[in-house]
Amino acid sequence: MEGGWPVSEANEPKAKVVSEAIEPEAVTDIQQMNMIQAINSALDVMMGRDPDVVVMGEDVGYFGGVFRATAGLQQKYGKNRVFDTPITECGIIGVAVGMGAYGLRPVPEIQFADYIYPALDQLVSEAARLRYRSAGEFISPMTVRSPFGGGIFGGQTHSQSPEGIFTHVSGVKTVIPSTPYDAKGLLIAAIEDNDPTIFFEPKRIYNGPFDGHYDTPAKSWAGHDQAQVPTGYYRVPLGEARVARAGQALTVLCYGTMVHVVENTVAEMGVDAEILDLRTLVPLDIEAIERSVKKTGRCLIVHEATRTSGFGAELLAQVQERCFYHLEAPIERVTGFDTPYPHSLEWAYFPGPVRIREAINKILKD
């Protein structure tokens, strides 16, 4: 059973094999990796373990992906398991739905999250509904990888954060890592999962954490404790938040790039904030959120996506419903604006240290 629905008899043996492989294997080799390398390692591990895992997308094969996240995989596993597709996002996801129904575990890549919209019908009407409308006869165990978010001067067509759209769709899981260690463990867990998963990769932190100060030199993952990644199999369970920083003054709910921006901002301010890295938006670790907010009595929500109907609105509602009598100040949100992502004014749009600092001061003042 997964998600309350039985898988079909034809798929059941596959599901059992995958579900048994939960505990990490004995891994002695730990390597420093950036997020791209960690994602590549996760794909390599899963393709080596399961011959039904296939990777597909625009330029993922010979070229190794626009960010090189699939580099070397076609050479190692062949063109039948790592293959380039036409430039048709609807077709990529449509084919992946069929693959999953026939027992494969496809990992399609959408080159940028901004281009995922042509695939919405296949994701929403087919992949997300397949288990439900077939009464468990078929499943759609695909993991859709896609770089998302701004911070690289990609403009309006290479910077969007559409995660809120998918959290609204019943039957789809939404995952967003913030570190190389989590990126590998979460991707492995997503590939093993029997439900379709949207795996958004914050491209601003592919090569290093970002503190929000765009005018300072870029940092690498070198020396970061979360960049020490086992080379073998391990998994980070979906639906479990990570306490990125323990604190007492207020709770900050964030994910992806914003985790690092918030960490740096509270360090600069000297505020004893508790930072929760949500890691997965669906399923949401509401117990961890409730526990933290009831402890601190204050809550700030930070995300890069547009404000109206962004996932922060759902988080605000959940906190208000569950923690109202523990709150000592109104909940605040720091988000992107309700406009296309601007190129020339990127850092005015980006929820950076200045706006986060103002929101924290307001919460602590109330």
Side-chain angles (χ1 to χ4, degrees):
M1 295 280 288
E2 177 122 358
W5 288 93
V7 295
S8 66
E9 190 173 309
N11 279 314
E12 183 65 22
K14 175 66 172 296
K16 286 182 177 178
V17 171
V18 172
S19 63
E20 288 170 359
I22 294 176
E23 295 301 321
E25 296 171 345
V27 177
T28 57
D29 191 11
I30 305 292
Q31 290 185 3
Q32 181 172 284
M33 299 184 190
N34 61 30
M35 192 174 286
I36 296 172
Q37 292 167 329
I39 290 165
N40 184 276
S41 180
L43 294 171
D44 187 14
V45 167
M46 289 308 296
M47 294 188 77
R49 288 169 60 89
D50 187 347
D52 288 334
V53 175
V54 297
V55 173
M56 55 193 288
E58 298 160 15
D59 297 322
V60 302
Y62 177 81
F63 190 62
V66 68
F67 291 102
R68 302 300 189 271
T70 56
L73 296 179
Q74 187 180 82
Q75 290 88 334
K76 185 172 183 178
Y77 296 102
K79 295 182 180 179
N80 288 333
R81 295 189 63 197
V82 183
F83 56 90
D84 296 317
T85 65
I87 303 175
T88 168
E89 287 75 18
C90 178
I92 293 169
I93 301 304
V95 169
V97 171
M99 286 180 166
Y102 275 88
L104 299 177
R105 289 186 177 267
V107 187
E109 178 186 295
I110 302 298
Q111 200 167 85
F112 288 90
D114 311 63
Y115 303 141
I116 203 168
Y117 302 116
L120 275 179
D121 184 49
Q122 291 297 321
L123 285 167
V124 175
S125 302
E126 306 299 334
R129 308 285 190 252
L130 187 58
R131 183 200 290 261
Y132 183 90
R133 79 181 194 192
S134 69
E137 182 70 21
F138 297 100
I139 58 175
S140 186
M142 74 167 75
T143 301
V144 184
R145 292 182 43 252
S146 190
F148 92 127
I152 65 166
F153 288 102
Q156 64 176 352
T157 58
H158 294 80
S159 304
Q160 296 176 60
S161 299
E163 66 272 15
I165 294 173
F166 296 97
T167 61
H168 183 70
V169 179
S170 301
V172 173
K173 297 178 179 177
T174 306
V175 180
I176 302 175
S178 69
T179 68
Y181 181 89
D182 280 354
K184 179 173 178 178
L186 289 168
L187 182 54
I188 287 174
I191 294 172
E192 290 183 334
D193 199 276
N194 283 332
D195 289 315
T197 301
I198 308 297
F199 192 90
F200 282 131
E201 301 163 7
K203 54 183 177 290
R204 184 60 180 82
I205 57 174
Y206 264 154
N207 293 303
F210 179 52
D211 61 11
H213 294 294
Y214 63 91
D215 52 353
T216 59
K219 299 177 182 178
S220 77
W221 284 107
H224 199 288
D225 60 345
Q226 290 291 311
Q228 305 304 308
V229 180
T231 57
Y233 171 91
Y234 70 95
R235 59 182 292 176
V236 174
L238 306 183
E240 292 187 10
R242 175 178 72 96
V243 179
R245 183 192 188 280
Q248 298 288 334
L250 79 155
T251 297
V252 185
L253 307 179
C254 50
Y255 48 89
T257 301
M258 292 298 105
V259 173
H260 304 280
V261 178
V262 170
E263 280 183 318
N264 184 72
T265 303
V266 299
E268 290 177 343
M269 296 178 67
V271 173
D272 186 26
E274 180 150 296
I275 302 171
L276 271 190
D277 176 4
L278 299 183
R279 298 201 286 199
T280 65
L281 307 188
V282 177
L284 179 67
D285 191 352
I286 189 61
E287 290 81 11
I289 294 173
E290 187 175 355
R291 195 161 50 242
S292 179
V293 175
K294 285 183 176 179
K295 178 179 72 172
T296 66
R298 291 176 168 84
C299 182
L300 170 65
I301 298 164
V302 183
H303 65 64
E304 193 177 343
T306 52
R307 184 180 182 87
T308 300
S309 299
F311 191 67
E314 174 64 25
L315 292 172
L316 191 151
Q318 293 265 16
V319 172
Q320 185 78 356
E321 290 169 359
R322 294 167 178 265
C323 306
F324 177 77
Y325 292 106
H326 293 79
L327 290 172
E328 299 179 23
I331 305 166
E332 292 289 328
R333 282 184 291 166
V334 179
T335 71
F337 298 119
D338 291 341
T339 70
Y341 214 117
H343 184 272
S344 61
L345 297 175
E346 174 154 24
W347 300 115
Y349 182 100
F350 190 89
V354 172
R355 285 203 280 146
I356 294 172
R357 189 180 300 116
E358 290 175 350
I360 291 175
N361 285 333
K362 182 178 180 181
I363 293 173
L364 296 180
K365 182 180 179 181
D366 288 334

